[in-house]
């Protein structure tokens, strides 16, 4: 049984109870949102992650990506990144590993943290293919479905699967003359496979079987945006929208099968296009939760893409997106370090909070009011406690020692709050 099928029957699961408590929402209202497909609780029946609700009416959630590569295959480093991401407030973690011994790596990650776990199974299928001394374009579709089923058995909560890239869409893409072409790794694997073999996308062709697997383990499908724009020039183009239309049909089929499903959204997008894209997605995809990478609102900030992603993420989440995938300063450049992971998580937390405040969520406003009160009262410890990063503001405060606690080194004795204290 899935969370959605239970909600359809009017049954309340322990996971729904936990999410309702965390979100301060009526559990019956939550169950109705799950039944309608507007909220998901990614929770594999074999997993041990904490229940986390993603969707309309709930706090904006954030995801952190980690994972080894063929060039840097340090399992302990990635485990430490996972722990750090959870420590600084990530709600979910995606393992995007393409290094060696992927099964052992996933187990170590799932043992190290208890937040929601996601994967991209085609990466493992690609590694299996290369280990057979074959090219990605010669990948066996059976290996892809074996990877999906094996990861489901291991307890993975949600999976990114690029089901919307069809043979017809690949043919149209060749004529689209995109500046960046395809930038999604999974999308490239499938599009190249389709073009080389002149066959339909196995994930699209065998979607009913995928739904059966998802229902059996209560895997939440995260329908991947394989044709997401990789630069501002490609944003909101025909291939992106055509894939979204395909995904809308697949969302409906999943919802009708009582499978939990969400949809992934664009990566690079001008500020003025974000709101419309969120509204289009929600309309085409039957209100399914929307999971966005950024969006990055300028292509000119390598090394600072956590900032460009946070700007886009705040607008996206305030306009309907429900789940933000973090972007680190290392985006487009290298595998992120521990510090990059921390910076990426905090930037996304800022974006999520800004959006939740804009949407009027009581929990967000309560935190903001607490911080305002702490600043008014010069309660530095409370300010550090409420801050997303507890240590950085403390280190700035301690750089300049002051005899008077009711001021900082910026204004000193001319502090406006101190001068006006008690008068206004």
């Amino acid at each position: 049984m899935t969370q959605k099928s239970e909600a359809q029957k009017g049954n309340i699961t322990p996971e729904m109870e936990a999410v309702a408590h965390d979100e301060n929402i009526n559990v019956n209202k939550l169950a109705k949102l799950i039944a309608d497909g507007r909220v998901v609780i990614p929770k594999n029946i074999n997993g041990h992650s904490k229940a986390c609700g993603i969707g309309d009416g709930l706090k904006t959630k954030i995801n952190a990506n980690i994972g080894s590569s063929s060039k840097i295959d340090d399992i302990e480093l990635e485990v430490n990144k996972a722990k750090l991401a959870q420590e600084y407030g990530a709600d979910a973690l995606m393992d995007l590993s393409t290094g060696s011994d992927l099964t052992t790596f996933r187990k170590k990650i799932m043992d190290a943290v208890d937040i929601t776990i996601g994967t991209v199974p085609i990466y493992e299928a690609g590694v299996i293919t290369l280990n057979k001394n074959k090219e990605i374009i010669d990948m066996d579709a059976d290996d892809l479905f074996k990877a999906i089923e094996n990861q489901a058995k291991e307890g993975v909560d949600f999976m990114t699967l690029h089901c919307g890239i069809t043979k017809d869409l690949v043919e149209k893409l060749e004529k689209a003359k995109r500046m960046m072409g395809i930038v999604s790794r999974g999308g490239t694997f499938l599009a190249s496979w389709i073009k080389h073999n002149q066959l339909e996308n196995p994930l699209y062709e065998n979607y009913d079987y995928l739904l059966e697997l998802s229902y059996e383990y209560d895997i939440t499908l995260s329908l991947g945006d394989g044709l997401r724009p990789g630069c501002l020039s490609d944003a909101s183009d025909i291939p992106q929208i055509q894939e979204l239309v395909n995904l809308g049909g697949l969302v409906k089929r999943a919802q009708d099968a009582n499978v939990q499903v969400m949809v992934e959204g664009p990566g690079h997008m001008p500020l003025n296009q974000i709101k419309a894209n969120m509204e289009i997605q929600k309309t085409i995809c039957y209100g399914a939760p929307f999971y966005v990478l950024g969006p990055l609102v300028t292509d000119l900030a390598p090394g600072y893409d956590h900032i460009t992603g946070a700007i886009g993420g705040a607008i996206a989440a305030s306009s309907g997106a429900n789940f933000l995938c973090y972007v680190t300063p290392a985006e487009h450049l290298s595998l992120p370090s521990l510090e990059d992971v921390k910076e990426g998580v905090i930037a996304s937390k800022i974006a999520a909070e800004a959006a939740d405040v804009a949407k009027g969520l009581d929990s967000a406003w309560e935190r903001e009011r607490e911080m305002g009160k702490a600043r008014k009262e010069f309660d530095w410890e409370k300010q550090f406690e409420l801050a997303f990063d507890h240590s950085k503001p403390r280190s700035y405060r301690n750089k300049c020692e002051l005899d008077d606690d009711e001021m900082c080194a910026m204004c000193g004795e001319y502090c406006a709050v101190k001068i006006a204290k008690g008068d206004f």
Side-chain angles (χ1 to χ4, degrees):
M1 291 292 183
T2 65
Q3 296 292 328
K4 190 173 189 303
S5 61
E6 291 295 283
Q8 288 280 7
K9 296 175 183 177
N11 296 332
I12 302 299
T13 66
E15 291 78 15
M16 293 178 204
E17 293 277 9
V19 170
H21 179 268
D22 184 56
E23 301 280 348
N24 193 27
I25 185 175
N26 179 277
V27 70
N28 293 307
K29 179 180 179 182
L30 175 65
K32 178 69 165 58
L33 290 168
I34 295 169
D36 291 343
R38 292 172 56 198
V39 167
V40 297
I41 302 178
K43 186 74 169 65
N44 189 312
I45 60 169
N46 294 330
H48 68 266
S49 62
K50 293 185 296 186
C52 174
I54 302 170
D56 292 348
L58 308 183
K59 290 176 283 191
T60 303
K61 305 305 187 301
I62 69 166
N63 170 76
N65 291 337
I66 61 163
S68 61
S69 74
S70 58
K71 302 302 180 185
I72 303 178
D73 194 10
D74 186 336
I75 292 181
E76 292 310 313
L77 173 61
E78 298 306 313
V79 167
N80 287 334
K81 288 179 187 177
K83 292 177 178 177
L84 189 71
Q86 178 167 347
E87 177 187 346
Y88 279 93
D91 302 289
L93 195 73
M94 289 200 78
D95 172 18
L96 307 185
S97 293
T98 54
S100 61
D101 201 358
L102 301 181
T103 301
T104 299
F105 183 81
R106 270 193 306 276
K107 185 177 187 310
K108 286 197 171 188
I109 290 295
M110 288 191 277
D111 287 344
V113 299
D114 61 0
I115 53 178
T116 302
I117 298 293
T119 59
V120 188
I122 198 169
Y123 293 174
E124 182 168 349
V127 170
I128 291 170
T129 301
L130 294 178
N131 287 341
K132 292 178 180 178
N133 294 316
K134 295 163 63 176
E135 299 295 326
I136 295 294
I137 53 175
D138 297 316
M139 179 178 61
D140 189 332
D142 286 341
D143 285 336
L144 175 55
F145 280 95
K146 284 177 185 175
I148 293 169
E149 186 167 11
N150 288 340
Q151 291 182 18
K153 290 176 179 178
E154 291 168 15
V156 171
D157 298 306
F158 70 99
M159 297 181 188
T160 291
L161 295 162
H162 302 86
C163 304
I165 299 180
T166 61
K167 186 171 180 286
D168 175 67
L169 190 49
V170 169
E171 291 171 356
K172 291 177 179 177
L173 182 64
E174 291 181 73
K175 303 171 185 176
K177 297 181 180 178
R178 270 186 157 192
M179 182 173 290
M180 285 288 292
I182 306 178
V183 298
S184 160
R185 187 160 49 180
T188 298
F189 285 4
L190 280 168
S192 299
W193 186 92
I194 292 168
K195 182 177 179 181
H196 175 77
N197 295 285
Q198 286 300 297
L199 294 171
E200 185 55 272
N201 177 354
L203 294 174
Y204 181 81
E205 190 170 48
N206 301 290
Y207 191 65
D208 286 335
Y209 175 53
L210 184 59
L211 293 179
E212 290 175 14
L213 283 175
S214 301
Y215 186 89
E216 181 179 355
Y217 296 96
D218 201 359
I219 298 295
T220 295
L221 291 179
S222 186
L223 297 178
D225 52 340
L227 300 185
R228 66 177 181 265
C231 63
L232 262 59
S233 297
D234 293 337
S236 305
D237 68 354
I238 291 174
Q240 176 200 326
I241 301 302
Q242 286 184 327
E243 182 186 26
L244 185 61
V245 171
N246 288 349
L247 296 181
L250 296 175
V251 165
K252 187 66 167 65
R253 288 170 63 184
Q255 291 178 343
D256 288 346
N258 278 329
V259 169
Q260 297 195 94
V261 61
M262 55 186 174
V263 178
E264 298 184 13
H268 295 242
M269 182 158 288
L271 218 66
N272 61 310
Q273 295 182 20
I274 295 174
K275 187 175 187 294
N277 268 262
M278 302 304 110
E279 292 171 350
I280 290 169
Q281 184 278 339
K282 286 287 184 175
T283 301
I284 291 176
C285 296
Y286 299 90
F290 202 18
Y291 176 25
V292 297
L293 176 66
L296 281 72
V297 295
T298 173
D299 296 330
L300 303 180
Y304 299 90
D305 276 330
H306 59 310
I307 297 174
T308 64
I311 294 169
I315 296 170
S318 64
S319 303
N322 311 103
F323 195 20
L324 303 180
C325 186
Y326 87 163
V327 180
T328 77
E331 187 78 12
H332 304 112
L333 303 170
S334 72
L335 207 64
S337 67
L338 285 166
E339 184 62 24
D340 293 329
V341 168
K342 175 184 171 181
E343 292 288 320
V345 170
I346 291 173
S348 287
K349 289 287 287 184
I350 294 168
E353 175 72 4
D356 289 348
V357 167
K359 290 187 291 188
L361 260 65
D362 289 340
S363 58
W365 272 106
E366 183 178 345
R367 290 190 297 269
E368 297 296 334
R369 283 190 289 267
E370 283 188 69
M371 181 61 92
K373 184 172 183 289
R375 284 183 169 156
K376 175 72 172 178
E377 296 175 352
F378 296 96
D379 187 344
W380 301 104
E381 289 303 318
K382 186 65 175 178
Q383 292 179 53
F384 303 152
E385 175 194 329
L386 289 166
F388 295 129
D389 184 340
H390 309 311
S391 59
K392 191 171 185 177
R394 186 187 299 277
S395 69
Y396 277 115
R397 171 71 183 163
N398 292 339
K399 278 182 181 179
C400 297
E401 293 186 13
L402 297 171
D403 294 332
D404 189 344
D405 235 14
E406 294 193 349
M407 65 174 67
C408 72
M410 170 66 82
C411 297
E413 62 270 24
Y414 301 107
C415 173
V417 178
K418 181 180 174 62
I419 293 169
K421 190 175 183 182
D423 292 334
F424 301 99

